[in-house]
């Protein structure tokens, strides 16, 4: 990996950190939901500083190219995030359903009185 690419990756990671922290400060992101993206920023910093470590791990895991390993890792990361979002969405749907039922019962009780 060229030194220029390493610097670009490092600057990209700094940009990610800045953007995420700004979104948390504006209350557009909850701190809990920003943690995975901060981890992505840390991973990019690590890769930009130690690219040979990532190449070593990729080859030990049987990937022909380091880029294939990075792409696989990115797809796996997005897949895991989507599973978590689906799970959270299902929980929220159940909570909303329960709240609607409770409000309906309360309205009925008020109307009867």
């Amino acid at each position: 990996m060229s030194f220029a690419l390493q610097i670009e990756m490092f600057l990209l990671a700094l940009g990610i950190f800045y953007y995420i922290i700004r979104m948390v400060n504006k209350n557009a992101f909850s701190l809990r939901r920003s943690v995975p993206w901060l981890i992505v920023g840390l991973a990019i910093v690590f890769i930009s500083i130690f690219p040979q470590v990532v190449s070593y791990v990729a080859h030990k895991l049987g990937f022909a190219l380091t880029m294939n390993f990075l792409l696989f890792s990115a797809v796996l990361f997005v897949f895991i995030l989507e599973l978590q979002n689906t799970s959270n969405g299902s929980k929220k749907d159940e909570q909303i359903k329960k709240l609607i039922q409770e409000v309906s019962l309360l309205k009925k009780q008020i109307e009867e009185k």
Side-chain angles (χ1 to χ4, degrees):
M1 180 183 299
S2 70
F3 185 69
L5 182 58
Q6 285 180 285
I7 291 173
E8 289 172 4
M9 286 179 65
F10 187 78
L11 293 175
L12 173 69
L14 289 179
I16 289 171
F17 280 124
Y18 172 76
Y19 182 73
I20 291 171
I21 290 170
R22 200 173 114 211
M23 295 295 282
V24 169
N25 285 339
K26 288 183 174 182
N27 292 326
F29 251 12
S30 69
L31 187 58
R32 185 179 73 103
R33 292 203 181 259
S34 67
V35 170
W37 299 109
L38 291 172
I39 291 171
V40 167
L42 285 174
I44 293 172
V45 167
F46 180 80
I47 291 168
S48 69
I49 295 173
F50 305 110
Q52 61 277 19
V53 173
V54 178
S55 294
Y56 176 78
V57 170
H59 291 293
K60 284 295 181 184
L61 291 176
F63 288 92
L65 299 171
T66 304
M67 186 52 67
N68 291 345
F69 170 68
L70 293 174
L71 183 61
F72 174 77
S73 300
V75 169
L76 186 63
F77 175 76
V78 170
F79 179 73
I80 290 169
L81 280 181
E82 185 56 32
L83 281 176
Q84 286 179 337
N85 285 335
T86 302
S87 173
N88 289 338
S90 296
K91 288 177 187 176
K92 300 254 187 255
D93 289 344
E94 287 299 315
Q95 288 175 340
I96 290 170
K97 181 179 166 184
K98 184 178 177 183
L99 287 171
I100 289 172
Q101 291 171 346
E102 289 176 4
V103 168
S104 297
L105 288 172
L106 289 171
K107 276 185 176 180
K108 184 178 178 183
Q109 288 176 355
I110 290 172
E111 288 173 0
E112 288 176 353
K113 291 181 180 184

